[in-house]
Amino acid sequence: MSYFVVYLPMKDEELSQTLRPDHLAFLDEQIEKGNVKAKGRFADGSGGMVIYEAESLEAAEEIAKQDPYVEKGARGIEIKEWIASFA
């Protein structure tokens, strides 16, 4: 298993507000499944970041693209594998 950082830059702030409950429910579901390890928004309002744990980049992308923010165009998406080092 590997970690993947999913950057969700803001595209439509109003749509993001509307979809926020669906987005948070999606993330809670992914946490329960063990797919999400961390999540949060940026203080400046420019978007947010989710850290997924998955078998591959393709698997992480498949999950992340189901996020209502991404599916409905409120946020962009950029995914990178993250070689984590925890202190």
Side-chain angles (χ1 to χ4, degrees):
M1 296 289 261
S2 298
Y3 292 105
F4 299 89
V5 173
V6 177
Y7 170 53
L8 301 166
M10 185 70 68
K11 289 174 68 177
D12 185 324
E13 193 170 341
E14 187 176 323
L15 185 56
S16 285
Q17 284 296 332
T18 300
L19 295 173
R20 184 169 171 75
D22 295 336
H23 165 73
L24 294 176
F26 170 78
L27 291 179
D28 286 344
E29 180 182 311
Q30 296 308 312
I31 289 168
E32 286 181 26
K33 292 179 178 180
N35 295 329
V36 168
K37 300 303 174 188
K39 62 184 174 67
R41 59 189 170 110
F42 297 121
D44 66 1
S46 64
M49 186 176 81
V50 180
I51 297 176
Y52 286 89
E53 186 174 22
E55 290 289 333
S56 66
L57 177 64
E58 293 78 18
E61 184 174 32
E62 183 178 325
I63 297 166
K65 285 186 172 181
Q66 295 175 44
D67 186 327
Y69 275 170
V70 177
E71 280 187 328
K72 297 191 170 126
R75 304 283 180 97
I77 187 170
E78 184 178 331
I79 304 174
K80 295 188 182 233
E81 186 170 1
W82 182 44
I83 309 301
S85 177
F86 297 97

